[in-house]
Each structure stands twice: as C-alpha cells, then as structure tokens.
mmCIF file of all heavy atoms in Angstrom:
data_model
loop_
_atom_site.group_PDB
_atom_site.id
_atom_site.type_symbol
_atom_site.label_atom_id
_atom_site.label_comp_id
_atom_site.label_asym_id
_atom_site.label_seq_id
_atom_site.Cartn_x
_atom_site.Cartn_y
_atom_site.Cartn_z
ATOM 1 N N MET A 69 0.844 -1.197 0.000
ATOM 2 C CA MET A 69 0.000 0.000 0.000
ATOM 3 C C MET A 69 0.881 1.250 0.000
ATOM 4 O O MET A 69 1.512 1.572 1.020
ATOM 5 C CB MET A 69 -0.914 0.009 1.231
ATOM 6 C CG MET A 69 -1.884 -1.148 1.291
ATOM 7 S SD MET A 69 -2.813 -1.178 2.865
ATOM 8 C CE MET A 69 -3.876 -2.604 2.601
ATOM 9 N N PRO A 70 0.936 1.982 -1.085
ATOM 10 C CA PRO A 70 1.813 3.164 -1.155
ATOM 11 C C PRO A 70 1.394 4.286 -0.218
ATOM 12 O O PRO A 70 2.216 5.127 0.150
ATOM 13 C CB PRO A 70 1.711 3.592 -2.624
ATOM 14 C CG PRO A 70 0.410 3.040 -3.107
ATOM 15 C CD PRO A 70 0.210 1.761 -2.364
ATOM 16 N N LYS A 71 0.115 4.304 0.183
ATOM 17 C CA LYS A 71 -0.384 5.386 1.037
ATOM 18 C C LYS A 71 -0.348 5.033 2.530
ATOM 19 O O LYS A 71 -0.787 5.838 3.357
ATOM 20 C CB LYS A 71 -1.834 5.725 0.662
ATOM 21 C CG LYS A 71 -2.039 6.214 -0.751
ATOM 22 C CD LYS A 71 -3.514 6.484 -0.994
ATOM 23 C CE LYS A 71 -3.781 6.939 -2.417
ATOM 24 N NZ LYS A 71 -5.244 7.167 -2.640
ATOM 25 N N LEU A 72 0.148 3.863 2.876
ATOM 26 C CA LEU A 72 0.042 3.384 4.261
ATOM 27 C C LEU A 72 0.670 4.361 5.255
ATOM 28 O O LEU A 72 1.843 4.713 5.147
ATOM 29 C CB LEU A 72 0.710 2.014 4.394
ATOM 30 C CG LEU A 72 0.534 1.348 5.770
ATOM 31 C CD1 LEU A 72 -0.920 0.933 5.980
ATOM 32 C CD2 LEU A 72 1.455 0.146 5.922
ATOM 33 N N LYS A 73 -0.150 4.768 6.236
ATOM 34 C CA LYS A 73 0.308 5.671 7.292
ATOM 35 C C LYS A 73 0.404 4.969 8.648
ATOM 36 O O LYS A 73 1.195 5.365 9.511
ATOM 37 C CB LYS A 73 -0.671 6.843 7.434
ATOM 38 C CG LYS A 73 -0.750 7.747 6.235
ATOM 39 C CD LYS A 73 -1.949 8.680 6.310
ATOM 40 C CE LYS A 73 -1.942 9.559 7.534
ATOM 41 N NZ LYS A 73 -3.075 10.505 7.550
ATOM 42 N N SER A 74 -0.438 3.934 8.843
ATOM 43 C CA SER A 74 -0.468 3.288 10.151
ATOM 44 C C SER A 74 -1.119 1.916 10.047
ATOM 45 O O SER A 74 -2.110 1.740 9.335
ATOM 46 C CB SER A 74 -1.243 4.156 11.154
ATOM 47 O OG SER A 74 -1.192 3.606 12.449
ATOM 48 N N PHE A 75 -0.534 0.956 10.769
ATOM 49 C CA PHE A 75 -1.081 -0.399 10.859
ATOM 50 C C PHE A 75 -1.105 -0.754 12.350
ATOM 51 O O PHE A 75 -0.079 -0.719 13.010
ATOM 52 C CB PHE A 75 -0.188 -1.377 10.093
ATOM 53 C CG PHE A 75 -0.693 -2.810 10.039
ATOM 54 C CD1 PHE A 75 -1.045 -3.392 8.832
ATOM 55 C CD2 PHE A 75 -0.814 -3.580 11.196
ATOM 56 C CE1 PHE A 75 -1.490 -4.711 8.766
ATOM 57 C CE2 PHE A 75 -1.271 -4.891 11.149
ATOM 58 C CZ PHE A 75 -1.609 -5.458 9.935
ATOM 59 N N VAL A 76 -2.287 -1.105 12.856
ATOM 60 C CA VAL A 76 -2.413 -1.473 14.264
ATOM 61 C C VAL A 76 -2.845 -2.927 14.366
ATOM 62 O O VAL A 76 -3.892 -3.310 13.828
ATOM 63 C CB VAL A 76 -3.434 -0.593 15.009
ATOM 64 C CG1 VAL A 76 -3.357 -0.870 16.516
ATOM 65 C CG2 VAL A 76 -3.199 0.877 14.743
ATOM 66 N N HIS A 77 -2.028 -3.721 15.042
ATOM 67 C CA HIS A 77 -2.405 -5.106 15.336
ATOM 68 C C HIS A 77 -2.964 -5.162 16.747
ATOM 69 O O HIS A 77 -2.300 -4.759 17.705
ATOM 70 C CB HIS A 77 -1.202 -6.032 15.219
ATOM 71 C CG HIS A 77 -1.432 -7.387 15.841
ATOM 72 N ND1 HIS A 77 -2.479 -8.207 15.462
ATOM 73 C CD2 HIS A 77 -0.770 -8.056 16.839
ATOM 74 C CE1 HIS A 77 -2.440 -9.326 16.180
ATOM 75 N NE2 HIS A 77 -1.422 -9.249 17.022
ATOM 76 N N VAL A 78 -4.198 -5.648 16.881
ATOM 77 C CA VAL A 78 -4.823 -5.765 18.191
ATOM 78 C C VAL A 78 -4.465 -7.114 18.790
ATOM 79 O O VAL A 78 -4.901 -8.164 18.315
ATOM 80 C CB VAL A 78 -6.355 -5.602 18.104
ATOM 81 C CG1 VAL A 78 -6.976 -5.746 19.490
ATOM 82 C CG2 VAL A 78 -6.709 -4.247 17.509
ATOM 83 N N SER A 79 -3.655 -7.087 19.824
ATOM 84 C CA SER A 79 -3.260 -8.293 20.537
ATOM 85 C C SER A 79 -4.086 -8.380 21.823
ATOM 86 O O SER A 79 -5.258 -8.034 21.826
ATOM 87 C CB SER A 79 -1.754 -8.235 20.837
ATOM 88 O OG SER A 79 -1.309 -9.420 21.459
ATOM 89 N N THR A 80 -3.508 -8.812 22.900
ATOM 90 C CA THR A 80 -4.171 -8.844 24.206
ATOM 91 C C THR A 80 -3.117 -8.647 25.273
ATOM 92 O O THR A 80 -1.957 -9.046 25.104
ATOM 93 C CB THR A 80 -4.916 -10.173 24.438
ATOM 94 O OG1 THR A 80 -5.324 -10.252 25.814
ATOM 95 C CG2 THR A 80 -4.031 -11.369 24.140
ATOM 96 N N ALA A 81 -3.506 -8.032 26.382
ATOM 97 C CA ALA A 81 -2.569 -7.817 27.486
ATOM 98 C C ALA A 81 -2.049 -9.140 28.041
ATOM 99 O O ALA A 81 -1.011 -9.176 28.702
ATOM 100 C CB ALA A 81 -3.248 -7.006 28.589
ATOM 101 N N TYR A 82 -2.774 -10.234 27.754
ATOM 102 C CA TYR A 82 -2.410 -11.543 28.303
ATOM 103 C C TYR A 82 -1.670 -12.424 27.297
ATOM 104 O O TYR A 82 -1.497 -13.619 27.533
ATOM 105 C CB TYR A 82 -3.670 -12.257 28.805
ATOM 106 C CG TYR A 82 -4.357 -11.481 29.905
ATOM 107 C CD1 TYR A 82 -5.356 -10.558 29.611
ATOM 108 C CD2 TYR A 82 -3.977 -11.637 31.235
ATOM 109 C CE1 TYR A 82 -5.966 -9.819 30.613
ATOM 110 C CE2 TYR A 82 -4.579 -10.905 32.245
ATOM 111 C CZ TYR A 82 -5.576 -9.997 31.926
ATOM 112 O OH TYR A 82 -6.173 -9.257 32.926
ATOM 113 N N ALA A 83 -1.226 -11.830 26.179
ATOM 114 C CA ALA A 83 -0.516 -12.614 25.164
ATOM 115 C C ALA A 83 0.784 -13.203 25.716
ATOM 116 O O ALA A 83 1.269 -14.212 25.212
ATOM 117 C CB ALA A 83 -0.222 -11.751 23.941
ATOM 118 N N ASN A 84 1.328 -12.569 26.738
ATOM 119 C CA ASN A 84 2.571 -13.045 27.338
ATOM 120 C C ASN A 84 2.343 -13.361 28.817
ATOM 121 O O ASN A 84 3.107 -12.954 29.688
ATOM 122 C CB ASN A 84 3.661 -11.989 27.168
ATOM 123 C CG ASN A 84 3.885 -11.627 25.716
ATOM 124 O OD1 ASN A 84 4.500 -12.372 24.962
ATOM 125 N ND2 ASN A 84 3.365 -10.482 25.304
ATOM 126 N N CYS A 85 1.272 -14.118 29.069
ATOM 127 C CA CYS A 85 0.814 -14.339 30.441
ATOM 128 C C CYS A 85 1.778 -15.156 31.291
ATOM 129 O O CYS A 85 1.608 -15.231 32.517
ATOM 130 C CB CYS A 85 -0.571 -14.983 30.439
ATOM 131 S SG CYS A 85 -0.636 -16.584 29.593
ATOM 132 N N LEU A 86 2.783 -15.780 30.678
ATOM 133 C CA LEU A 86 3.770 -16.501 31.474
ATOM 134 C C LEU A 86 4.771 -15.542 32.107
ATOM 135 O O LEU A 86 5.558 -15.951 32.969
ATOM 136 C CB LEU A 86 4.515 -17.525 30.605
ATOM 137 C CG LEU A 86 3.672 -18.626 29.947
ATOM 138 C CD1 LEU A 86 4.580 -19.664 29.304
ATOM 139 C CD2 LEU A 86 2.738 -19.289 30.937
ATOM 140 N N GLN A 87 4.742 -14.280 31.664
ATOM 141 C CA GLN A 87 5.635 -13.270 32.212
ATOM 142 C C GLN A 87 4.931 -12.483 33.315
ATOM 143 O O GLN A 87 3.716 -12.331 33.295
ATOM 144 C CB GLN A 87 6.081 -12.295 31.109
ATOM 145 C CG GLN A 87 6.642 -12.950 29.873
ATOM 146 C CD GLN A 87 7.953 -13.649 30.124
ATOM 147 O OE1 GLN A 87 8.740 -13.225 30.970
ATOM 148 N NE2 GLN A 87 8.197 -14.731 29.391
ATOM 149 N N ASN A 88 5.700 -11.984 34.258
ATOM 150 C CA ASN A 88 5.155 -11.115 35.293
ATOM 151 C C ASN A 88 6.317 -10.403 35.971
ATOM 152 O O ASN A 88 7.147 -11.074 36.588
ATOM 153 C CB ASN A 88 4.356 -11.916 36.326
ATOM 154 C CG ASN A 88 3.311 -11.084 37.036
ATOM 155 O OD1 ASN A 88 3.175 -9.892 36.775
ATOM 156 N ND2 ASN A 88 2.575 -11.708 37.937
ATOM 157 N N PRO A 89 6.427 -9.086 35.809
ATOM 158 C CA PRO A 89 5.480 -8.161 35.179
ATOM 159 C C PRO A 89 5.474 -8.291 33.648
ATOM 160 O O PRO A 89 6.370 -8.902 33.059
ATOM 161 C CB PRO A 89 6.019 -6.790 35.605
ATOM 162 C CG PRO A 89 7.491 -7.008 35.773
ATOM 163 C CD PRO A 89 7.623 -8.391 36.345
ATOM 164 N N ILE A 90 4.454 -7.680 33.045
ATOM 165 C CA ILE A 90 4.345 -7.654 31.587
ATOM 166 C C ILE A 90 4.577 -6.221 31.123
ATOM 167 O O ILE A 90 3.778 -5.329 31.402
ATOM 168 C CB ILE A 90 2.968 -8.169 31.114
ATOM 169 C CG1 ILE A 90 2.775 -9.628 31.530
ATOM 170 C CG2 ILE A 90 2.840 -8.021 29.599
ATOM 171 C CD1 ILE A 90 1.411 -10.199 31.193
ATOM 172 N N GLU A 91 5.682 -6.005 30.436
ATOM 173 C CA GLU A 91 6.052 -4.671 29.980
ATOM 174 C C GLU A 91 5.625 -4.462 28.530
ATOM 175 O O GLU A 91 5.227 -5.399 27.842
ATOM 176 C CB GLU A 91 7.563 -4.475 30.136
ATOM 177 C CG GLU A 91 8.062 -4.674 31.557
ATOM 178 C CD GLU A 91 9.569 -4.539 31.656
ATOM 179 O OE1 GLU A 91 10.133 -3.618 31.012
ATOM 180 O OE2 GLU A 91 10.185 -5.369 32.352
ATOM 181 N N GLU A 92 5.766 -3.214 28.083
ATOM 182 C CA GLU A 92 5.401 -2.876 26.705
ATOM 183 C C GLU A 92 6.592 -3.169 25.784
ATOM 184 O O GLU A 92 7.210 -2.288 25.215
ATOM 185 C CB GLU A 92 4.996 -1.399 26.627
ATOM 186 C CG GLU A 92 3.704 -1.114 27.380
ATOM 187 C CD GLU A 92 3.438 0.366 27.539
ATOM 188 O OE1 GLU A 92 4.312 1.068 28.073
ATOM 189 O OE2 GLU A 92 2.353 0.833 27.143
ATOM 190 N N LYS A 93 6.872 -4.456 25.657
ATOM 191 C CA LYS A 93 7.985 -4.895 24.827
ATOM 192 C C LYS A 93 7.696 -6.294 24.302
ATOM 193 O O LYS A 93 6.737 -6.950 24.724
ATOM 194 C CB LYS A 93 9.278 -4.901 25.642
ATOM 195 C CG LYS A 93 9.318 -5.949 26.740
ATOM 196 C CD LYS A 93 10.655 -5.937 27.476
ATOM 197 C CE LYS A 93 10.754 -7.094 28.476
ATOM 198 N NZ LYS A 93 12.054 -7.098 29.184
ATOM 199 N N PHE A 94 8.525 -6.753 23.371
ATOM 200 C CA PHE A 94 8.377 -8.101 22.837
ATOM 201 C C PHE A 94 8.944 -9.126 23.809
ATOM 202 O O PHE A 94 9.924 -8.871 24.514
ATOM 203 C CB PHE A 94 9.105 -8.228 21.497
ATOM 204 C CG PHE A 94 8.418 -7.552 20.349
ATOM 205 C CD1 PHE A 94 8.885 -6.340 19.862
ATOM 206 C CD2 PHE A 94 7.300 -8.118 19.760
ATOM 207 C CE1 PHE A 94 8.254 -5.710 18.804
ATOM 208 C CE2 PHE A 94 6.655 -7.508 18.698
ATOM 209 C CZ PHE A 94 7.133 -6.299 18.227
ATOM 210 N N TYR A 95 8.307 -10.292 23.826
ATOM 211 C CA TYR A 95 8.810 -11.429 24.594
ATOM 212 C C TYR A 95 8.993 -12.606 23.640
ATOM 213 O O TYR A 95 8.390 -12.645 22.566
ATOM 214 C CB TYR A 95 7.831 -11.809 25.708
ATOM 215 C CG TYR A 95 7.759 -10.793 26.824
ATOM 216 C CD1 TYR A 95 6.790 -9.790 26.817
ATOM 217 C CD2 TYR A 95 8.658 -10.827 27.886
ATOM 218 C CE1 TYR A 95 6.718 -8.857 27.841
ATOM 219 C CE2 TYR A 95 8.597 -9.907 28.916
ATOM 220 C CZ TYR A 95 7.623 -8.913 28.882
ATOM 221 O OH TYR A 95 7.561 -7.989 29.894
ATOM 222 N N ASP A 96 9.809 -13.551 24.061
ATOM 223 C CA ASP A 96 9.996 -14.740 23.233
ATOM 224 C C ASP A 96 8.694 -15.535 23.161
ATOM 225 O O ASP A 96 8.068 -15.807 24.196
ATOM 226 C CB ASP A 96 11.099 -15.625 23.821
ATOM 227 C CG ASP A 96 12.473 -14.988 23.710
ATOM 228 O OD1 ASP A 96 12.662 -14.150 22.805
ATOM 229 O OD2 ASP A 96 13.351 -15.318 24.542
ATOM 230 N N PRO A 97 8.262 -15.915 21.957
ATOM 231 C CA PRO A 97 7.026 -16.682 21.802
ATOM 232 C C PRO A 97 7.264 -18.153 22.124
ATOM 233 O O PRO A 97 8.414 -18.600 22.203
ATOM 234 C CB PRO A 97 6.688 -16.494 20.328
ATOM 235 C CG PRO A 97 8.026 -16.382 19.671
ATOM 236 C CD PRO A 97 8.914 -15.643 20.652
ATOM 237 N N PRO A 98 6.210 -18.939 22.287
ATOM 238 C CA PRO A 98 6.392 -20.377 22.529
ATOM 239 C C PRO A 98 7.012 -21.099 21.349
ATOM 240 O O PRO A 98 7.613 -22.162 21.500
ATOM 241 C CB PRO A 98 4.972 -20.876 22.804
ATOM 242 C CG PRO A 98 4.064 -19.845 22.205
ATOM 243 C CD PRO A 98 4.795 -18.542 22.345
ATOM 244 N N MET A 99 6.874 -20.514 20.141
ATOM 245 C CA MET A 99 7.477 -21.094 18.936
ATOM 246 C C MET A 99 7.650 -19.981 17.910
ATOM 247 O O MET A 99 6.838 -19.047 17.862
ATOM 248 C CB MET A 99 6.578 -22.210 18.360
ATOM 249 C CG MET A 99 7.178 -22.934 17.159
ATOM 250 S SD MET A 99 6.057 -24.182 16.432
ATOM 251 C CE MET A 99 5.933 -25.334 17.794
ATOM 252 N N ASP A 100 8.706 -20.067 17.132
ATOM 253 C CA ASP A 100 8.917 -19.104 16.054
ATOM 254 C C ASP A 100 7.701 -19.097 15.120
ATOM 255 O O ASP A 100 7.172 -20.154 14.762
ATOM 256 C CB ASP A 100 10.171 -19.473 15.275
ATOM 257 C CG ASP A 100 10.373 -18.587 14.062
ATOM 258 O OD1 ASP A 100 10.885 -17.474 14.211
ATOM 259 O OD2 ASP A 100 9.976 -19.025 12.952
ATOM 260 N N ALA A 101 7.254 -17.907 14.726
ATOM 261 C CA ALA A 101 6.023 -17.767 13.945
ATOM 262 C C ALA A 101 6.062 -18.546 12.633
ATOM 263 O O ALA A 101 5.103 -19.251 12.280
ATOM 264 C CB ALA A 101 5.742 -16.295 13.680
ATOM 265 N N ASP A 102 7.141 -18.439 11.888
ATOM 266 C CA ASP A 102 7.230 -19.118 10.591
ATOM 267 C C ASP A 102 7.275 -20.633 10.760
ATOM 268 O O ASP A 102 6.646 -21.377 9.991
ATOM 269 C CB ASP A 102 8.454 -18.636 9.823
ATOM 270 C CG ASP A 102 8.327 -17.180 9.412
ATOM 271 O OD1 ASP A 102 7.182 -16.734 9.198
ATOM 272 O OD2 ASP A 102 9.354 -16.490 9.317
ATOM 273 N N LYS A 103 8.015 -21.103 11.754
ATOM 274 C CA LYS A 103 8.065 -22.538 12.008
ATOM 275 C C LYS A 103 6.694 -23.049 12.445
ATOM 276 O O LYS A 103 6.283 -24.163 12.076
ATOM 277 C CB LYS A 103 9.108 -22.846 13.084
ATOM 278 C CG LYS A 103 10.534 -22.620 12.634
ATOM 279 C CD LYS A 103 11.521 -22.954 13.749
ATOM 280 C CE LYS A 103 12.959 -22.714 13.283
ATOM 281 N NZ LYS A 103 13.935 -22.993 14.387
ATOM 282 N N PHE A 104 5.986 -22.220 13.209
ATOM 283 C CA PHE A 104 4.652 -22.604 13.661
ATOM 284 C C PHE A 104 3.694 -22.738 12.483
ATOM 285 O O PHE A 104 2.938 -23.712 12.378
ATOM 286 C CB PHE A 104 4.132 -21.560 14.655
ATOM 287 C CG PHE A 104 2.737 -21.811 15.149
ATOM 288 C CD1 PHE A 104 2.465 -22.874 15.997
ATOM 289 C CD2 PHE A 104 1.685 -20.979 14.773
ATOM 290 C CE1 PHE A 104 1.175 -23.103 16.466
ATOM 291 C CE2 PHE A 104 0.396 -21.201 15.223
ATOM 292 C CZ PHE A 104 0.142 -22.269 16.078
ATOM 293 N N ILE A 105 3.735 -21.787 11.565
ATOM 294 C CA ILE A 105 2.863 -21.840 10.388
ATOM 295 C C ILE A 105 3.205 -23.050 9.525
ATOM 296 O O ILE A 105 2.313 -23.753 9.022
ATOM 297 C CB ILE A 105 2.974 -20.533 9.578
ATOM 298 C CG1 ILE A 105 2.371 -19.367 10.382
ATOM 299 C CG2 ILE A 105 2.265 -20.668 8.228
ATOM 300 C CD1 ILE A 105 2.569 -18.007 9.749
ATOM 301 N N ASP A 106 4.499 -23.319 9.356
ATOM 302 C CA ASP A 106 4.918 -24.501 8.584
ATOM 303 C C ASP A 106 4.420 -25.790 9.237
ATOM 304 O O ASP A 106 3.984 -26.731 8.552
ATOM 305 C CB ASP A 106 6.445 -24.545 8.474
ATOM 306 C CG ASP A 106 6.991 -23.458 7.559
ATOM 307 O OD1 ASP A 106 6.205 -22.920 6.749
ATOM 308 O OD2 ASP A 106 8.196 -23.147 7.676
ATOM 309 N N LEU A 107 4.477 -25.840 10.556
ATOM 310 C CA LEU A 107 3.992 -27.019 11.281
ATOM 311 C C LEU A 107 2.500 -27.211 11.059
ATOM 312 O O LEU A 107 2.026 -28.329 10.827
ATOM 313 C CB LEU A 107 4.296 -26.880 12.769
ATOM 314 C CG LEU A 107 3.779 -28.014 13.670
ATOM 315 C CD1 LEU A 107 4.468 -29.328 13.320
ATOM 316 C CD2 LEU A 107 3.984 -27.661 15.147
ATOM 317 N N MET A 108 1.741 -26.122 11.116
ATOM 318 C CA MET A 108 0.294 -26.198 10.919
ATOM 319 C C MET A 108 -0.043 -26.698 9.512
ATOM 320 O O MET A 108 -1.039 -27.397 9.307
ATOM 321 C CB MET A 108 -0.353 -24.823 11.144
ATOM 322 C CG MET A 108 -0.243 -24.285 12.561
ATOM 323 S SD MET A 108 -1.031 -25.320 13.825
ATOM 324 C CE MET A 108 0.410 -26.082 14.571
ATOM 325 N N ASP A 109 0.802 -26.350 8.540
ATOM 326 C CA ASP A 109 0.559 -26.752 7.152
ATOM 327 C C ASP A 109 0.925 -28.212 6.902
ATOM 328 O O ASP A 109 0.399 -28.844 5.978
ATOM 329 C CB ASP A 109 1.363 -25.866 6.191
ATOM 330 C CG ASP A 109 0.817 -24.457 6.128
ATOM 331 O OD1 ASP A 109 -0.357 -24.261 6.488
ATOM 332 O OD2 ASP A 109 1.576 -23.544 5.745
ATOM 333 N N SER A 110 1.835 -28.744 7.696
ATOM 334 C CA SER A 110 2.392 -30.068 7.389
ATOM 335 C C SER A 110 1.806 -31.202 8.216
ATOM 336 O O SER A 110 2.114 -32.367 7.960
ATOM 337 C CB SER A 110 3.908 -30.039 7.602
ATOM 338 O OG SER A 110 4.209 -29.739 8.961
ATOM 339 N N ILE A 111 0.956 -30.885 9.167
ATOM 340 C CA ILE A 111 0.474 -31.922 10.064
ATOM 341 C C ILE A 111 -1.025 -32.140 9.894
ATOM 342 O O ILE A 111 -1.783 -31.186 9.632
ATOM 343 C CB ILE A 111 0.809 -31.558 11.539
ATOM 344 C CG1 ILE A 111 0.632 -32.756 12.456
ATOM 345 C CG2 ILE A 111 -0.038 -30.392 12.018
ATOM 346 C CD1 ILE A 111 1.205 -32.539 13.847
ATOM 347 N N ASP A 112 -1.455 -33.391 9.995
ATOM 348 C CA ASP A 112 -2.871 -33.735 9.900
ATOM 349 C C ASP A 112 -3.634 -33.097 11.065
ATOM 350 O O ASP A 112 -3.152 -33.066 12.201
ATOM 351 C CB ASP A 112 -3.025 -35.257 9.952
ATOM 352 C CG ASP A 112 -4.479 -35.684 9.959
ATOM 353 O OD1 ASP A 112 -5.133 -35.603 8.908
ATOM 354 O OD2 ASP A 112 -4.961 -36.070 11.047
ATOM 355 N N GLU A 113 -4.840 -32.595 10.762
ATOM 356 C CA GLU A 113 -5.584 -31.856 11.786
ATOM 357 C C GLU A 113 -5.959 -32.724 12.989
ATOM 358 O O GLU A 113 -5.917 -32.270 14.135
ATOM 359 C CB GLU A 113 -6.851 -31.241 11.178
ATOM 360 C CG GLU A 113 -7.551 -30.269 12.123
ATOM 361 C CD GLU A 113 -8.600 -29.416 11.437
ATOM 362 O OE1 GLU A 113 -8.654 -29.419 10.193
ATOM 363 O OE2 GLU A 113 -9.362 -28.754 12.153
#
C-alpha cells in the first residue's frame, strides 16, 4: 500500500501471560512464527 500511514495489530494484554510483570515490549514466543505456520501446514488436523 503506497499510502500506508499506520497499521495497528490488536493483541491482548495476556498474550505473554507466562511473564510477570508484563512490559510494553516483545517477549519470546512459545514457537517461532514461521516454524509454527509450517507445522500447521504439514500436520494432519
């Protein structure tokens, strides 16, 4: 989008609920996003 000014992803305050305190920063996910998507594509439901 050549006109893009802002993109907001709505997450949840509890996305990193294993952490405490929860700061306004990134935390390590339970699995790398790309590997997770590949796993979902390759495994029987």
Side-chain angles (χ1 to χ4, degrees):
M69 298 174 179
K71 299 179 182 179
L72 186 69
K73 295 167 59 177
S74 185
F75 184 116
V76 189
H77 165 57
V78 179
S79 183
T80 169
Y82 299 91
N84 303 284
C85 60
L86 299 189
Q87 308 293 328
N88 205 359
I90 298 176
E91 303 177 42
E92 293 169 305
K93 68 178 186 179
F94 286 104
Y95 290 94
D96 291 335
M99 184 183 296
D100 175 81
D102 293 330
K103 291 180 180 178
F104 177 70
I105 292 173
D106 289 341
L107 177 64
M108 295 299 104
D109 289 339
S110 61
I111 194 168
D112 176 74
E113 190 166 349

